[in-house]
Amino acid sequence: LQIQMNSKILFPKNFPEVMGQKLSGEINVPLTIAVRRGKDLSVDGTLDLKEVGAMKADMGIESLSGSIPFSEHFVQDLRKIRFSELITQNAFERVNFERLRPLLQSTDQISIQKIHWQEKVYGPLIGFVSIRQNMLLLHEFNLDLGSAGSLYGEMFFDAYPKNLQFGLLSRVTGVDLAQVLPQKFLKKIPEGDKTISARTGFIFSINKAVLDGRIDITQIGSAQLITLINVLDPQFQDDKMN
């Protein structure tokens, strides 16, 4: 059995808020559903996004556009439906992107023009996104931070309920913390250069509430260090931060 469908969602300007979120834009979802031998189920398609936005209070995104392919395969076993296979990802593996590029050449990039956090605005963010089985993957993303800073790398989210994980492998280059952090984190900061550069690789296990990884800081000074302490303790309540 094979079914082909195409769904469209439109959020006009006067669309009411959903759980406090102001939504806008257009989403098209062409997909194919196939059932084989009564046990194997496949769902393949694409999320085509056009100028999608979501704003809530002082946080949100503007103008999310691009295509996100998805491919899900399930099997029925003892009246239960499960993934036919699970995908694992190592956030600490430094991937050679040239190996992945042929897989992505037929895929459109996604772009987010603006990301809002309190009074700060970041962007654009550009990258490749795909959804396969239990894994949401953000390949080769690049986010502009401030006038000269950037964050680029790879991210993944494992949605398998027994193994909920978020992973990041990235490089931070030339980020001025005074430009990218909201004003509440910039109190009592000494004068001086606030530029920071670093490499990161970590996995956050949501079920276990465990963060495991490594950060290699390649550029930092006293002003940047105090600013980062303010991010961890913005109310100045933990005297052990000294």
mmCIF file of all heavy atoms in Angstrom, residues 13-63:
data_model
loop_
_atom_site.group_PDB
_atom_site.id
_atom_site.type_symbol
_atom_site.label_atom_id
_atom_site.label_comp_id
_atom_site.label_asym_id
_atom_site.label_seq_id
_atom_site.Cartn_x
_atom_site.Cartn_y
_atom_site.Cartn_z
ATOM 1 N N LYS A 13 -1.177 36.896 9.303
ATOM 2 C CA LYS A 13 -0.708 37.871 10.295
ATOM 3 C C LYS A 13 -1.643 37.977 11.491
ATOM 4 O O LYS A 13 -1.205 38.280 12.600
ATOM 5 C CB LYS A 13 -0.539 39.240 9.628
ATOM 6 C CG LYS A 13 0.589 39.284 8.604
ATOM 7 C CD LYS A 13 0.754 40.674 8.038
ATOM 8 C CE LYS A 13 1.915 40.726 7.042
ATOM 9 N NZ LYS A 13 2.095 42.082 6.463
ATOM 10 N N ASN A 14 -2.942 37.734 11.270
ATOM 11 C CA ASN A 14 -3.902 37.864 12.370
ATOM 12 C C ASN A 14 -4.160 36.531 13.074
ATOM 13 O O ASN A 14 -5.128 36.385 13.813
ATOM 14 C CB ASN A 14 -5.222 38.430 11.853
ATOM 15 C CG ASN A 14 -5.835 37.569 10.757
ATOM 16 O OD1 ASN A 14 -5.195 36.647 10.248
ATOM 17 N ND2 ASN A 14 -7.066 37.881 10.382
ATOM 18 N N PHE A 15 -3.292 35.526 12.836
ATOM 19 C CA PHE A 15 -3.476 34.213 13.458
ATOM 20 C C PHE A 15 -3.291 34.341 14.972
ATOM 21 O O PHE A 15 -2.328 34.950 15.442
ATOM 22 C CB PHE A 15 -2.466 33.217 12.888
ATOM 23 C CG PHE A 15 -2.767 31.791 13.237
ATOM 24 C CD1 PHE A 15 -3.734 31.079 12.548
ATOM 25 C CD2 PHE A 15 -2.080 31.149 14.257
ATOM 26 C CE1 PHE A 15 -4.005 29.757 12.856
ATOM 27 C CE2 PHE A 15 -2.342 29.838 14.572
ATOM 28 C CZ PHE A 15 -3.312 29.131 13.879
ATOM 29 N N PRO A 16 -4.212 33.789 15.787
ATOM 30 C CA PRO A 16 -4.107 33.938 17.247
ATOM 31 C C PRO A 16 -2.891 33.198 17.804
ATOM 32 O O PRO A 16 -2.382 32.249 17.197
ATOM 33 C CB PRO A 16 -5.415 33.320 17.755
ATOM 34 C CG PRO A 16 -5.852 32.394 16.674
ATOM 35 C CD PRO A 16 -5.410 33.016 15.392
ATOM 36 N N GLU A 17 -2.443 33.622 18.963
ATOM 37 C CA GLU A 17 -1.296 32.987 19.610
ATOM 38 C C GLU A 17 -1.625 31.561 20.027
ATOM 39 O O GLU A 17 -2.759 31.268 20.425
ATOM 40 C CB GLU A 17 -0.852 33.796 20.829
ATOM 41 C CG GLU A 17 -0.258 35.144 20.483
ATOM 42 C CD GLU A 17 0.301 35.849 21.700
ATOM 43 O OE1 GLU A 17 0.153 35.305 22.823
ATOM 44 O OE2 GLU A 17 0.890 36.939 21.546
ATOM 45 N N VAL A 18 -0.621 30.684 19.944
ATOM 46 C CA VAL A 18 -0.746 29.289 20.353
ATOM 47 C C VAL A 18 0.219 29.051 21.510
ATOM 48 O O VAL A 18 1.433 29.107 21.328
ATOM 49 C CB VAL A 18 -0.439 28.333 19.186
ATOM 50 C CG1 VAL A 18 -0.556 26.877 19.647
ATOM 51 C CG2 VAL A 18 -1.369 28.597 18.012
ATOM 52 N N MET A 19 -0.322 28.836 22.702
ATOM 53 C CA MET A 19 0.492 28.630 23.907
ATOM 54 C C MET A 19 1.493 29.767 24.079
ATOM 55 O O MET A 19 2.674 29.571 24.393
ATOM 56 C CB MET A 19 1.216 27.284 23.845
ATOM 57 C CG MET A 19 0.287 26.087 23.756
ATOM 58 S SD MET A 19 1.150 24.502 23.677
ATOM 59 C CE MET A 19 1.955 24.462 25.289
ATOM 60 N N GLY A 20 1.007 30.987 23.846
ATOM 61 C CA GLY A 20 1.849 32.161 24.009
ATOM 62 C C GLY A 20 2.772 32.453 22.847
ATOM 63 O O GLY A 20 3.509 33.444 22.881
ATOM 64 N N GLN A 21 2.776 31.605 21.815
ATOM 65 C CA GLN A 21 3.645 31.788 20.657
ATOM 66 C C GLN A 21 2.901 32.508 19.546
ATOM 67 O O GLN A 21 1.796 32.132 19.189
ATOM 68 C CB GLN A 21 4.122 30.422 20.134
ATOM 69 C CG GLN A 21 5.003 29.650 21.082
ATOM 70 C CD GLN A 21 6.461 30.033 20.950
ATOM 71 O OE1 GLN A 21 6.834 30.845 20.111
ATOM 72 N NE2 GLN A 21 7.300 29.443 21.776
ATOM 73 N N LYS A 22 3.537 33.536 18.992
ATOM 74 C CA LYS A 22 3.019 34.210 17.818
ATOM 75 C C LYS A 22 3.660 33.579 16.586
ATOM 76 O O LYS A 22 4.877 33.692 16.362
ATOM 77 C CB LYS A 22 3.343 35.711 17.872
ATOM 78 C CG LYS A 22 2.813 36.490 16.682
ATOM 79 C CD LYS A 22 1.291 36.421 16.592
ATOM 80 C CE LYS A 22 0.775 37.261 15.423
ATOM 81 N NZ LYS A 22 -0.693 37.137 15.261
ATOM 82 N N LEU A 23 2.849 32.882 15.785
ATOM 83 C CA LEU A 23 3.359 32.129 14.645
ATOM 84 C C LEU A 23 3.073 32.855 13.336
ATOM 85 O O LEU A 23 2.066 33.563 13.211
ATOM 86 C CB LEU A 23 2.719 30.736 14.604
ATOM 87 C CG LEU A 23 2.897 29.878 15.864
ATOM 88 C CD1 LEU A 23 2.110 28.580 15.727
ATOM 89 C CD2 LEU A 23 4.362 29.595 16.131
ATOM 90 N N SER A 24 3.929 32.649 12.347
ATOM 91 C CA SER A 24 3.744 33.249 11.025
ATOM 92 C C SER A 24 4.441 32.376 9.990
ATOM 93 O O SER A 24 5.282 31.534 10.319
ATOM 94 C CB SER A 24 4.326 34.671 10.989
ATOM 95 O OG SER A 24 5.716 34.655 11.280
ATOM 96 N N GLY A 25 4.071 32.564 8.706
ATOM 97 C CA GLY A 25 4.746 31.871 7.629
ATOM 98 C C GLY A 25 3.930 30.758 7.011
ATOM 99 O O GLY A 25 2.721 30.645 7.218
ATOM 100 N N GLU A 26 4.598 29.917 6.226
ATOM 101 C CA GLU A 26 3.947 28.860 5.461
ATOM 102 C C GLU A 26 4.772 27.579 5.539
ATOM 103 O O GLU A 26 6.000 27.610 5.447
ATOM 104 C CB GLU A 26 3.798 29.303 4.010
ATOM 105 C CG GLU A 26 3.192 28.269 3.078
ATOM 106 C CD GLU A 26 3.109 28.766 1.645
ATOM 107 O OE1 GLU A 26 2.906 29.994 1.458
ATOM 108 O OE2 GLU A 26 3.247 27.930 0.728
ATOM 109 N N ILE A 27 4.087 26.444 5.718
ATOM 110 C CA ILE A 27 4.746 25.133 5.791
ATOM 111 C C ILE A 27 4.054 24.189 4.812
ATOM 112 O O ILE A 27 2.839 24.013 4.877
ATOM 113 C CB ILE A 27 4.686 24.540 7.213
ATOM 114 C CG1 ILE A 27 5.307 25.498 8.237
ATOM 115 C CG2 ILE A 27 5.401 23.190 7.262
ATOM 116 C CD1 ILE A 27 5.162 25.027 9.669
ATOM 117 N N ASN A 28 4.827 23.590 3.914
ATOM 118 C CA ASN A 28 4.327 22.566 2.999
ATOM 119 C C ASN A 28 4.975 21.232 3.351
ATOM 120 O O ASN A 28 6.190 21.180 3.597
ATOM 121 C CB ASN A 28 4.644 22.915 1.547
ATOM 122 C CG ASN A 28 3.862 24.120 1.066
ATOM 123 O OD1 ASN A 28 2.641 24.160 1.183
ATOM 124 N ND2 ASN A 28 4.558 25.107 0.533
ATOM 125 N N VAL A 29 4.171 20.166 3.363
ATOM 126 C CA VAL A 29 4.679 18.844 3.744
ATOM 127 C C VAL A 29 4.244 17.809 2.707
ATOM 128 O O VAL A 29 3.220 17.146 2.871
ATOM 129 C CB VAL A 29 4.194 18.426 5.143
ATOM 130 C CG1 VAL A 29 4.917 17.156 5.592
ATOM 131 C CG2 VAL A 29 4.391 19.540 6.160
ATOM 132 N N PRO A 30 5.002 17.633 1.624
ATOM 133 C CA PRO A 30 4.738 16.503 0.729
ATOM 134 C C PRO A 30 5.365 15.241 1.322
ATOM 135 O O PRO A 30 6.524 15.265 1.763
ATOM 136 C CB PRO A 30 5.443 16.913 -0.568
ATOM 137 C CG PRO A 30 6.531 17.845 -0.125
ATOM 138 C CD PRO A 30 6.045 18.542 1.110
ATOM 139 N N LEU A 31 4.602 14.142 1.343
ATOM 140 C CA LEU A 31 5.142 12.913 1.931
ATOM 141 C C LEU A 31 4.549 11.690 1.262
ATOM 142 O O LEU A 31 3.490 11.753 0.640
ATOM 143 C CB LEU A 31 4.914 12.876 3.441
ATOM 144 C CG LEU A 31 3.481 12.925 3.995
ATOM 145 C CD1 LEU A 31 2.881 11.529 4.074
ATOM 146 C CD2 LEU A 31 3.463 13.558 5.373
ATOM 147 N N THR A 32 5.243 10.581 1.436
ATOM 148 C CA THR A 32 4.811 9.290 0.919
ATOM 149 C C THR A 32 4.797 8.290 2.066
ATOM 150 O O THR A 32 5.796 8.162 2.783
ATOM 151 C CB THR A 32 5.746 8.791 -0.196
ATOM 152 O OG1 THR A 32 5.742 9.734 -1.271
ATOM 153 C CG2 THR A 32 5.287 7.443 -0.715
ATOM 154 N N ILE A 33 3.675 7.595 2.221
ATOM 155 C CA ILE A 33 3.537 6.557 3.243
ATOM 156 C C ILE A 33 3.423 5.218 2.528
ATOM 157 O O ILE A 33 2.599 5.048 1.636
ATOM 158 C CB ILE A 33 2.304 6.797 4.124
ATOM 159 C CG1 ILE A 33 2.388 8.168 4.809
ATOM 160 C CG2 ILE A 33 2.163 5.697 5.169
ATOM 161 C CD1 ILE A 33 1.128 8.545 5.561
ATOM 162 N N ALA A 34 4.266 4.268 2.930
ATOM 163 C CA ALA A 34 4.260 2.953 2.293
ATOM 164 C C ALA A 34 4.184 1.869 3.361
ATOM 165 O O ALA A 34 4.869 1.949 4.384
ATOM 166 C CB ALA A 34 5.509 2.759 1.438
ATOM 167 N N VAL A 35 3.332 0.876 3.113
ATOM 168 C CA VAL A 35 3.205 -0.277 4.008
ATOM 169 C C VAL A 35 3.545 -1.522 3.211
ATOM 170 O O VAL A 35 2.960 -1.777 2.151
ATOM 171 C CB VAL A 35 1.787 -0.384 4.601
ATOM 172 C CG1 VAL A 35 1.697 -1.588 5.541
ATOM 173 C CG2 VAL A 35 1.407 0.899 5.335
ATOM 174 N N ARG A 36 4.489 -2.318 3.712
ATOM 175 C CA ARG A 36 4.928 -3.528 3.021
ATOM 176 C C ARG A 36 4.678 -4.751 3.912
ATOM 177 O O ARG A 36 5.039 -4.736 5.098
ATOM 178 C CB ARG A 36 6.407 -3.443 2.665
ATOM 179 C CG ARG A 36 6.762 -2.284 1.743
ATOM 180 C CD ARG A 36 8.266 -2.217 1.501
ATOM 181 N NE ARG A 36 8.611 -1.083 0.648
ATOM 182 C CZ ARG A 36 8.844 0.143 1.097
ATOM 183 N NH1 ARG A 36 8.724 0.399 2.396
ATOM 184 N NH2 ARG A 36 9.152 1.108 0.268
ATOM 185 N N ARG A 37 4.063 -5.754 3.333
ATOM 186 C CA ARG A 37 3.812 -7.031 4.027
ATOM 187 C C ARG A 37 3.026 -6.851 5.331
ATOM 188 O O ARG A 37 3.059 -7.703 6.211
ATOM 189 C CB ARG A 37 5.125 -7.762 4.311
ATOM 190 C CG ARG A 37 5.924 -8.105 3.058
ATOM 191 C CD ARG A 37 7.128 -8.946 3.393
ATOM 192 N NE ARG A 37 8.026 -8.259 4.296
ATOM 193 C CZ ARG A 37 8.957 -7.391 3.908
ATOM 194 N NH1 ARG A 37 9.109 -7.126 2.614
ATOM 195 N NH2 ARG A 37 9.733 -6.814 4.777
ATOM 196 N N GLY A 38 2.366 -5.722 5.469
ATOM 197 C CA GLY A 38 1.557 -5.481 6.651
ATOM 198 C C GLY A 38 2.340 -5.209 7.915
ATOM 199 O O GLY A 38 1.757 -4.996 8.982
ATOM 200 N N LYS A 39 3.675 -5.187 7.823
ATOM 201 C CA LYS A 39 4.497 -4.998 9.028
ATOM 202 C C LYS A 39 5.474 -3.840 8.920
ATOM 203 O O LYS A 39 5.818 -3.219 9.914
ATOM 204 C CB LYS A 39 5.275 -6.283 9.338
ATOM 205 C CG LYS A 39 4.412 -7.451 9.769
ATOM 206 C CD LYS A 39 5.277 -8.640 10.144
ATOM 207 C CE LYS A 39 4.414 -9.796 10.642
ATOM 208 N NZ LYS A 39 5.249 -10.964 11.045
ATOM 209 N N ASP A 40 5.946 -3.563 7.713
ATOM 210 C CA ASP A 40 6.939 -2.507 7.520
ATOM 211 C C ASP A 40 6.242 -1.217 7.099
ATOM 212 O O ASP A 40 5.493 -1.203 6.120
ATOM 213 C CB ASP A 40 7.954 -2.908 6.450
ATOM 214 C CG ASP A 40 8.719 -4.164 6.829
ATOM 215 O OD1 ASP A 40 8.902 -4.384 8.041
ATOM 216 O OD2 ASP A 40 9.117 -4.917 5.929
ATOM 217 N N LEU A 41 6.506 -0.149 7.817
ATOM 218 C CA LEU A 41 5.904 1.166 7.541
ATOM 219 C C LEU A 41 7.006 2.176 7.284
ATOM 220 O O LEU A 41 7.935 2.312 8.090
ATOM 221 C CB LEU A 41 5.039 1.613 8.722
ATOM 222 C CG LEU A 41 4.486 3.041 8.674
ATOM 223 C CD1 LEU A 41 3.504 3.185 7.520
ATOM 224 C CD2 LEU A 41 3.828 3.420 10.001
ATOM 225 N N SER A 42 6.918 2.891 6.166
ATOM 226 C CA SER A 42 7.889 3.923 5.815
ATOM 227 C C SER A 42 7.168 5.249 5.607
ATOM 228 O O SER A 42 6.114 5.296 4.962
ATOM 229 C CB SER A 42 8.655 3.552 4.538
ATOM 230 O OG SER A 42 9.366 2.349 4.708
ATOM 231 N N VAL A 43 7.736 6.316 6.133
ATOM 232 C CA VAL A 43 7.212 7.669 5.944
ATOM 233 C C VAL A 43 8.380 8.538 5.477
ATOM 234 O O VAL A 43 9.345 8.758 6.218
ATOM 235 C CB VAL A 43 6.612 8.240 7.243
ATOM 236 C CG1 VAL A 43 6.049 9.641 6.985
ATOM 237 C CG2 VAL A 43 5.531 7.323 7.797
ATOM 238 N N ASP A 44 8.305 9.020 4.239
ATOM 239 C CA ASP A 44 9.376 9.831 3.660
ATOM 240 C C ASP A 44 8.768 11.106 3.087
ATOM 241 O O ASP A 44 7.708 11.066 2.449
ATOM 242 C CB ASP A 44 10.093 9.064 2.554
ATOM 243 C CG ASP A 44 10.769 7.806 3.061
ATOM 244 O OD1 ASP A 44 11.860 7.921 3.623
ATOM 245 O OD2 ASP A 44 10.181 6.713 2.895
ATOM 246 N N GLY A 45 9.467 12.212 3.301
ATOM 247 C CA GLY A 45 8.946 13.464 2.780
ATOM 248 C C GLY A 45 9.866 14.627 3.081
ATOM 249 O O GLY A 45 11.054 14.447 3.396
ATOM 250 N N THR A 46 9.305 15.819 2.991
ATOM 251 C CA THR A 46 10.081 17.040 3.172
ATOM 252 C C THR A 46 9.227 18.087 3.881
ATOM 253 O O THR A 46 8.028 18.217 3.590
ATOM 254 C CB THR A 46 10.531 17.615 1.811
ATOM 255 O OG1 THR A 46 11.232 16.605 1.082
ATOM 256 C CG2 THR A 46 11.447 18.809 2.010
ATOM 257 N N LEU A 47 9.855 18.808 4.786
ATOM 258 C CA LEU A 47 9.243 20.006 5.360
ATOM 259 C C LEU A 47 9.763 21.209 4.577
ATOM 260 O O LEU A 47 10.954 21.544 4.665
ATOM 261 C CB LEU A 47 9.619 20.151 6.839
ATOM 262 C CG LEU A 47 8.996 19.163 7.822
ATOM 263 C CD1 LEU A 47 9.629 19.334 9.205
ATOM 264 C CD2 LEU A 47 7.496 19.379 7.931
ATOM 265 N N ASP A 48 8.905 21.821 3.778
ATOM 266 C CA ASP A 48 9.279 23.021 3.029
ATOM 267 C C ASP A 48 8.788 24.239 3.806
ATOM 268 O O ASP A 48 7.574 24.449 3.947
ATOM 269 C CB ASP A 48 8.659 22.994 1.628
ATOM 270 C CG ASP A 48 9.258 21.898 0.764
ATOM 271 O OD1 ASP A 48 10.467 21.643 0.896
ATOM 272 O OD2 ASP A 48 8.514 21.295 -0.042
ATOM 273 N N LEU A 49 9.722 25.031 4.282
ATOM 274 C CA LEU A 49 9.415 26.169 5.142
ATOM 275 C C LEU A 49 9.622 27.471 4.387
ATOM 276 O O LEU A 49 10.619 27.638 3.669
ATOM 277 C CB LEU A 49 10.305 26.151 6.388
ATOM 278 C CG LEU A 49 10.342 24.812 7.152
ATOM 279 C CD1 LEU A 49 11.435 24.833 8.218
ATOM 280 C CD2 LEU A 49 8.998 24.518 7.783
ATOM 281 N N LYS A 50 8.690 28.404 4.557
ATOM 282 C CA LYS A 50 8.791 29.694 3.879
ATOM 283 C C LYS A 50 8.439 30.812 4.864
ATOM 284 O O LYS A 50 7.298 30.923 5.309
ATOM 285 C CB LYS A 50 7.845 29.737 2.676
ATOM 286 C CG LYS A 50 7.952 31.019 1.862
ATOM 287 C CD LYS A 50 7.048 30.972 0.644
ATOM 288 C CE LYS A 50 7.152 32.247 -0.173
ATOM 289 N NZ LYS A 50 6.257 32.222 -1.358
ATOM 290 N N GLU A 51 9.450 31.585 5.232
ATOM 291 C CA GLU A 51 9.280 32.756 6.099
ATOM 292 C C GLU A 51 8.542 32.400 7.396
ATOM 293 O O GLU A 51 7.673 33.132 7.861
ATOM 294 C CB GLU A 51 8.532 33.864 5.362
ATOM 295 C CG GLU A 51 9.214 34.366 4.103
ATOM 296 C CD GLU A 51 10.531 35.072 4.399
ATOM 297 O OE1 GLU A 51 10.642 35.713 5.459
ATOM 298 O OE2 GLU A 51 11.457 34.970 3.567
ATOM 299 N N VAL A 52 8.907 31.265 7.993
ATOM 300 C CA VAL A 52 8.265 30.832 9.231
ATOM 301 C C VAL A 52 8.878 31.585 10.416
ATOM 302 O O VAL A 52 10.104 31.756 10.493
ATOM 303 C CB VAL A 52 8.428 29.311 9.428
ATOM 304 C CG1 VAL A 52 7.885 28.875 10.785
ATOM 305 C CG2 VAL A 52 7.710 28.563 8.312
ATOM 306 N N GLY A 53 8.027 32.031 11.324
ATOM 307 C CA GLY A 53 8.502 32.724 12.515
ATOM 308 C C GLY A 53 7.746 32.277 13.742
ATOM 309 O O GLY A 53 6.598 31.824 13.667
ATOM 310 N N ALA A 54 8.407 32.372 14.900
ATOM 311 C CA ALA A 54 7.780 32.047 16.182
ATOM 312 C C ALA A 54 8.361 32.973 17.230
ATOM 313 O O ALA A 54 9.578 32.996 17.442
ATOM 314 C CB ALA A 54 8.023 30.585 16.558
ATOM 315 N N MET A 55 7.499 33.757 17.878
ATOM 316 C CA MET A 55 7.940 34.715 18.885
ATOM 317 C C MET A 55 7.148 34.506 20.165
ATOM 318 O O MET A 55 5.929 34.333 20.131
ATOM 319 C CB MET A 55 7.742 36.155 18.399
ATOM 320 C CG MET A 55 8.625 36.551 17.228
ATOM 321 S SD MET A 55 10.381 36.647 17.660
ATOM 322 C CE MET A 55 10.343 37.944 18.916
ATOM 323 N N LYS A 56 7.852 34.497 21.287
ATOM 324 C CA LYS A 56 7.226 34.389 22.594
ATOM 325 C C LYS A 56 7.968 35.291 23.554
ATOM 326 O O LYS A 56 9.145 35.066 23.837
ATOM 327 C CB LYS A 56 7.241 32.952 23.107
ATOM 328 C CG LYS A 56 6.535 32.774 24.446
ATOM 329 C CD LYS A 56 6.485 31.322 24.864
ATOM 330 C CE LYS A 56 5.734 31.173 26.184
ATOM 331 N NZ LYS A 56 5.653 29.751 26.621
ATOM 332 N N ALA A 57 7.270 36.306 24.049
ATOM 333 C CA ALA A 57 7.874 37.274 24.974
ATOM 334 C C ALA A 57 9.153 37.844 24.346
ATOM 335 O O ALA A 57 9.107 38.465 23.299
ATOM 336 C CB ALA A 57 8.133 36.625 26.329
ATOM 337 N N ASP A 58 10.311 37.600 24.980
ATOM 338 C CA ASP A 58 11.567 38.178 24.497
ATOM 339 C C ASP A 58 12.459 37.142 23.838
ATOM 340 O O ASP A 58 13.675 37.273 23.826
ATOM 341 C CB ASP A 58 12.322 38.840 25.652
ATOM 342 C CG ASP A 58 12.548 37.873 26.814
ATOM 343 O OD1 ASP A 58 12.143 36.709 26.698
ATOM 344 O OD2 ASP A 58 13.121 38.296 27.832
ATOM 345 N N MET A 59 11.864 36.097 23.244
ATOM 346 C CA MET A 59 12.655 35.061 22.582
ATOM 347 C C MET A 59 11.906 34.558 21.358
ATOM 348 O O MET A 59 10.683 34.399 21.392
ATOM 349 C CB MET A 59 12.924 33.904 23.548
ATOM 350 C CG MET A 59 13.813 32.805 23.001
ATOM 351 S SD MET A 59 14.184 31.535 24.251
ATOM 352 C CE MET A 59 15.127 32.516 25.423
ATOM 353 N N GLY A 60 12.639 34.328 20.259
ATOM 354 C CA GLY A 60 11.974 33.807 19.069
ATOM 355 C C GLY A 60 12.863 33.859 17.849
ATOM 356 O O GLY A 60 14.041 34.241 17.919
ATOM 357 N N ILE A 61 12.297 33.452 16.696
ATOM 358 C CA ILE A 61 13.022 33.447 15.435
ATOM 359 C C ILE A 61 12.175 34.135 14.372
ATOM 360 O O ILE A 61 10.951 34.175 14.463
ATOM 361 C CB ILE A 61 13.375 32.018 14.976
ATOM 362 C CG1 ILE A 61 12.101 31.198 14.748
ATOM 363 C CG2 ILE A 61 14.288 31.322 15.974
ATOM 364 C CD1 ILE A 61 12.355 29.835 14.125
ATOM 365 N N GLU A 62 12.856 34.666 13.354
ATOM 366 C CA GLU A 62 12.188 35.296 12.215
ATOM 367 C C GLU A 62 12.711 34.701 10.918
ATOM 368 O O GLU A 62 13.898 34.399 10.788
ATOM 369 C CB GLU A 62 12.471 36.810 12.193
ATOM 370 C CG GLU A 62 11.705 37.627 13.194
ATOM 371 C CD GLU A 62 11.941 39.119 12.979
ATOM 372 O OE1 GLU A 62 11.890 39.568 11.811
ATOM 373 O OE2 GLU A 62 12.201 39.813 13.966
ATOM 374 N N SER A 63 11.812 34.551 9.949
ATOM 375 C CA SER A 63 12.163 34.189 8.566
ATOM 376 C C SER A 63 12.978 32.906 8.486
ATOM 377 O O SER A 63 14.113 32.886 7.997
ATOM 378 C CB SER A 63 12.917 35.340 7.889
ATOM 379 O OG SER A 63 12.103 36.484 7.800
#
